[in-house]
């Protein structure tokens, strides 16, 4: 057995915090690495010690193998835990660790290499009797050959990068007309994310569910699976909600899929944590191998909650050379667990990632709630990394109970200062098809209108405006030093109330009010509401509006206010200046960056003629690509950016002179 006393964590964010927690439990010294963007990050403070490894761009820090190896040597680390993402499935990095005499906490390099190519993985699984999806995998990656094979397979089909995961380099192609552009985009994204652009083509199963089995092995040839996770609810090919047990697996199907997962593990002589992913056809009840993730999964807490195990501890013990402490016959699941991923993104704008500062992060106390995050009040959401804010995990004895608790958590979680998918997630939990477990990977797409529409937005905005108005009134009252006996906002004409105006999501709201005794009479249009200020301060306000009690959390940046109450959700509003500056004129034909971004590719040149819908610029933010398209035809008059450069939100990218 090898001794591990110090572990360097070659990762960041919530997974670094998660690994630190187990290290502390096991009496192992944790060493964090950090970039410029993460100097003040929570995980850096949580570690026993930390070492700087470079600039914010991942290529200069978390993906720089030599810097991480040198940091491990300098800090005398016995082992490196790669977490997930970054270098966790990089064969070369695993081998460099071994060559440097440092334990790599993951499977042996040959297993990573075998699964690093989806095409090779598929061939290996076929050899071991694991069912696979019909498709093409091959060395000939010419556009002509890929097109020929695609036509043989038929549409719809799926293009997938053979390296990596997380939806990068993946495209669904519905017809032959879409194929050329999809091939180019998938190859470009794969090259950017994984350093190689090889693709495989598979028949696309439209009614599919994404079900995965957690596997574990040791260095003595023992392998087990730790049951399944249902990961079907996805957007942009990335998981949003995971739960276990799956609502569609019978005991017989669970046993059959578990056996297939163990075959996959045996094929690899697997010796650490991994996940065998399957696509399950709801119509035919068939399942097919997708891939093996040779690392710890983002959603591993779901398995930990139902099995009562610490998978990170099991990883460390396996790397030390200890045999598995549990056998397959002893594996059993208790109750139900559900995990939702809280992202800094805007579901109403195609899930565009959002940067900014989290002004307040506070979760309710709920029995069975587990929060995995490296975010706290004041944390920055950076352009350079994944936009996940937190993983919220709830356990209960029943699926209904777990869902009900999660709904309560999402309704009462305070995360203000930036846009998140919090209430999008909450709405998913209220859709009958989800509650019944009747869904496919198209669930979000099929319910997008319901999930992004809010029938109660207008009323919520009015309540938030009232709360902001009274918070500002209370602040002014606290600052008064003269004529304190005169009522605030006193007018010599009783019929002239005070008023304030706000802008909320493009909607303008004007609130007028009078204070009469201990109550406020507040008006929006012709509607009057009687409001009592119960108590509060600059960050919390307790009100009674028309007899209903509200408790608002309030954060402020300049003239922008961020409010949360269980009845309203998160509301962002901006105070309208009584003497507003003239609005900056928008440049006609100008195209602006929708968010802080890196310029991946400029698709046009100055003087080019473009037509409506043509691709103009490919942007990357938080590891996701977005393409700007021409809104109308015209001539490219000017281009203001260069490839690989960085721009802020609303930066002018190019200008088109309309025809």
């Amino acid at each position: 057995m090898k001794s591990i006393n110090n572990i360097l964590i070659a990762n960041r964010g919530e997974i670094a915090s998660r690994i630190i927690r187990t290290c502390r439990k096991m009496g192992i010294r944790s060493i964090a690495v950090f970039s410029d963007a993460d100097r003040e990050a929570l995980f850096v403070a949580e570690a026993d010690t930390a070492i700087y490894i470079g600039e914010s761009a991942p290529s200069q820090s978390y993906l720089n193998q030599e810097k991480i190896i040198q940091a491990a040597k300098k800090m005398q680390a016995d082992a490196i835990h790669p977490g997930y993402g970054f270098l966790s499935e990089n064969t070369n990095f695993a081998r460099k660790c071994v060559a440097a005499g440092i334990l790599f906490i993951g499977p042996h390099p040959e297993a990573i290499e075998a699964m690093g190519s989806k095409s090779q993985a598929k061939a290996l699984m076929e050899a071991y009797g694991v069912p696979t999806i019909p498709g093409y995998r091959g060395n000939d990656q010419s556009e002509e050959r890929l097109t020929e094979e695609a036509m043989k397979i038929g549409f719809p089909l799926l293009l997938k990068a053979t390296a990596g995961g997380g939806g990068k380099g993946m495209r669904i192609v519905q017809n032959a007309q879409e194929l050329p552009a999809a091939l180019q985009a998938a190859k470009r994204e794969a090259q950017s994310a994984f350093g190689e652009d090889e693709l495989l083509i598979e028949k696309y199963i439209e009614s599919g569910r994404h079900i995965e089995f957690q596997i574990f092995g040791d260095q003595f040839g023992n392998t087990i699976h730790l049951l399944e996770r249902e990961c079907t609810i996805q957007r942009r090919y990335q998981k949003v909600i995971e739960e276990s047990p799956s609502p569609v697996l019978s005991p017989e199907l669970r046993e059959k899929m578990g056996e297939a997962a163990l075959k996959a593990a045996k094929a690899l002589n697997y010796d650490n944590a991994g996940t065998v992913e399957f696509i399950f056809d709801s119509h035919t009840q068939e399942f097919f191998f997708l891939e093996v993730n040779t690392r710890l999964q983002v959603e591993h807490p779901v398995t930990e909650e139902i099995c009562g195990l610490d998978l990170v501890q099991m990883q460390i013990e396996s790397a030390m050379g200890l045999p598995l402490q549990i056998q397959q016959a002893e594996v059993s699941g208790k109750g139900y667990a559900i995990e939702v991923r809280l992202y800094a993104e805007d579901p109403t704008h195609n899930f565009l990632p959002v940067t900014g500062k989290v002004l307040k992060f506070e979760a309710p106390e709920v029995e069975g709630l587990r929060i995995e995050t490296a975010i706290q009040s004041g944390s920055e959401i950076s352009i350079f990394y994944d936009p996940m804010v937190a993983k919220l995990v709830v356990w209960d004895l029943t699926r209904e109970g777990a869902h009900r608790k999660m709904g309560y958590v999402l309704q009462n979680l305070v995360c203000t200062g930036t846009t998140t998918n919090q209430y999008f997630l909450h709405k998913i939990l209220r859709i009958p098809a989800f509650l019944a477990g009747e869904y496919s990977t198209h669930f979000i797409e099929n319910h997008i209108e319901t999930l992004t529409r809010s029938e109660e937005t207008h009323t919520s905005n009015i309540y938030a405006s009232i709360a902001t108005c009274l918070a500002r009134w209370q602040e002014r009252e606290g600052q008064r030093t003269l004529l304190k006996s005169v009522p605030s906002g006193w007018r010599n004409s009783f019929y002239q109330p005070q008023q304030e105006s706000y802008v909320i999501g493009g909607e303008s709201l004007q609130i007028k009010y009078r204070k009469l005794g201990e109550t406020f009479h507040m008006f929006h249009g012709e509607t009057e509401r009687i409001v009592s200020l119960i108590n509060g301060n600059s960050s919390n306000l307790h009100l009674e509006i028309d007899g209903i009690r509200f408790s608002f959390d309030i954060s402020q940046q300049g003239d922008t206010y961020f409010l949360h109450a269980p009845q309203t959700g998160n509301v962002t509003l901006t105070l309208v200046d009584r003497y507003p500056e003239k609005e900056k004129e928008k440049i006609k034909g100008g195209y602006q960056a929708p968010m802080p971004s890196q310029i991946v590719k400029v698709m046009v040149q100055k003087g080019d003629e473009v037509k409506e819908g043509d691709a103009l610029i490919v942007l990357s933010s938080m590891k996701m690509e977005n393409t700007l398209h021409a809104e109308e035809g015209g001539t490219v008059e000017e281009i203001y950016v260069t490839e690989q450069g960085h721009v802020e939100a609303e930066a002018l990218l190019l200008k088109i002179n309309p025809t």
Side-chain angles (χ1 to χ4, degrees), residues 258-427:
E259 288 174 356
L262 288 177
K263 285 181 181 179
K266 291 290 186 184
L268 295 165
N269 191 26
Y270 211 75
D271 66 337
N272 209 273
T275 301
V276 183
E277 301 196 359
F278 298 103
I279 188 78
F280 176 74
D281 192 325
S282 300
H283 295 326
T284 66
Q285 298 288 290
E286 294 177 297
F287 63 90
F288 303 98
F289 170 83
L290 283 178
E291 61 184 337
V292 175
N293 290 303
T294 53
R295 55 171 166 79
L296 195 67
Q297 288 283 84
V298 176
E299 59 273 17
H300 75 273
V302 171
T303 296
E304 291 184 327
E305 290 301 307
I306 66 165
C307 291
L309 299 169
D310 184 332
L311 298 192
V312 176
Q313 180 174 340
M314 291 174 67
Q315 282 190 294
I316 295 170
E317 289 174 345
S318 178
M320 292 169 66
L322 291 173
L324 284 172
Q325 303 298 297
I326 184 172
Q327 297 181 1
Q328 190 65 62
E330 300 172 298
V331 174
S332 63
K334 179 183 178 183
Y336 286 75
I338 180 172
E339 173 182 294
V340 303
R341 302 189 190 186
L342 184 69
Y343 283 107
E345 65 183 16
D346 187 352
T348 64
H349 289 85
N350 197 29
F351 303 99
L352 282 177
V354 180
T355 57
K357 178 180 286 189
V358 176
L359 298 179
K360 186 170 185 179
F361 187 81
E362 187 175 283
E365 292 187 9
V366 174
E367 186 178 353
L369 171 64
R370 168 178 171 178
I371 299 176
E372 298 287 342
T373 187
I375 292 292
Q376 59 185 339
S377 300
S379 292
E380 291 280 350
I381 305 295
S382 167
I383 177 181
F384 296 101
Y385 312 118
D386 188 274
M388 189 165 65
V389 174
K391 301 183 308 196
L392 310 175
V393 188
V394 166
W395 178 91
D396 194 73
L397 280 171
T398 67
R399 184 171 184 264
E400 294 76 13
H403 287 188
R404 187 170 53 249
K405 284 182 177 180
M406 183 61 81
Y408 182 87
V409 170
L410 289 168
Q411 193 169 21
N412 289 275
L413 176 76
V414 179
C415 183
T416 57
T418 187
T419 302
T420 72
N421 65 339
Q422 180 175 341
Y423 283 90
F424 175 84
L425 295 169
H426 187 242
K427 284 189 170 188

Side-chain angles (χ1 to χ4, degrees), residues 2 50 97 107 140 157 184 198 296 332 366 445 453 494 566 577 641:
K2 305 176 185 71
C97 290
D140 188 348
L157 55 80
Q184 292 172 17
E198 183 180 331
L296 195 67
S332 63
V366 174
E445 177 187 338
R453 184 184 69 241
F494 172 78
D577 197 315
V641 294

